[in-house]
Amino acid sequence: SDMKQDAQGGNSSSSSGSIQNVETRFQQTHICRIDGDLPQPLQDAYAHAGTVWRGSGAIADYVAQPPLAMKKKTETTTILPKLPPLLVMRGEHDFVTAACTRAWKQDLWKQQERSAREVELAGTSHHGLLENGPLFGSVVESFLAEYDP
C-alpha cells in the first residue's frame, strides 16, 4: 500500500503529501503565523524572489561580514567605518534563531564598534510586522526614540 505515516504520526497517502504537510507546518510555525493564506503582499514578494534566499537552509551557514568596499586598509590594519545603530528583530518562532545571530554579534557588531540591539518578538515568526504590527511598531519606535528623542 502507498499509506505512510507522516511527521505527526498520522497516515498520508503519498510521500509528496507528507512533504507538503511538513512544509505547510514549517511555514505556519516559522515563516508567518497568520491563520489561512499568506497575506497577498507576502505571496507576491515570494513569487518574485530569487532562489538564493529560499528555504530555511539558505541562512544556516551564512556569516555576516562588512562589505569589502567599506574597508580601508593601512599598512598595519583594516579600518572599518563607524556605522549607525542597528536593530535586529526576529520572532520567537523565527527560522533565524539566536544561534544565527550569535555569530553576527560576536564578529560583525563588535568589529565595527557598532551600537546594536537584538529583540525577539514574542509569539511571532519571521514576519512579525504582519503578525503583530503594534508590537513591531513599539519596538521600532522605542529604538528610534533613543537616537532622535
Side-chain angles (χ1 to χ4, degrees):
S1 163
D2 286 335
M3 295 296 283
K4 295 186 179 187
Q5 194 170 32
D6 69 17
Q8 291 181 330
N11 289 326
S12 173
S13 61
S14 71
S15 61
S16 65
S18 181
I19 290 170
Q20 186 176 12
N21 289 339
V22 169
E23 288 173 350
T24 299
R25 285 194 311 272
F26 181 88
Q27 175 184 310
Q28 292 170 343
T29 303
H30 302 291
I31 296 176
C32 190
R33 296 175 70 85
I34 295 174
D35 289 334
D37 293 335
L38 291 176
Q40 192 60 49
L42 195 52
Q43 289 182 40
D44 294 344
Y46 280 128
H48 295 95
T51 57
V52 175
W53 293 103
R54 282 201 188 204
S56 63
I59 63 165
D61 297 326
Y62 177 76
V63 177
Q65 296 181 19
L68 294 176
M70 294 177 66
K71 294 181 179 181
K72 295 179 184 175
K73 292 189 178 202
T74 67
E75 289 183 22
T76 58
T77 190
T78 299
I79 302 169
L80 299 170
K82 183 134 175 88
L83 296 173
L86 172 68
L87 173 62
V88 173
M89 292 189 289
R90 60 180 187 76
E92 176 183 1
H93 305 284
D94 204 325
F95 59 84
V96 176
T97 64
C100 292
T101 60
R102 188 174 305 119
W104 301 350
K105 287 187 277 192
Q106 290 172 351
D107 299 331
L108 182 62
W109 298 350
K110 282 183 184 178
Q111 227 178 55
Q112 296 180 0
E113 296 180 21
R114 179 179 211 174
S115 173
R117 181 185 317 152
E118 178 178 3
V119 176
E120 181 179 277
L121 300 175
T124 68
S125 62
H126 193 66
H127 293 286
L129 170 62
L130 298 174
E131 298 165 33
N132 189 339
L135 174 61
F136 186 95
S138 70
V139 169
V140 171
E141 185 175 13
S142 171
F143 178 77
L144 294 175
E146 290 180 35
Y147 300 99
D148 188 20

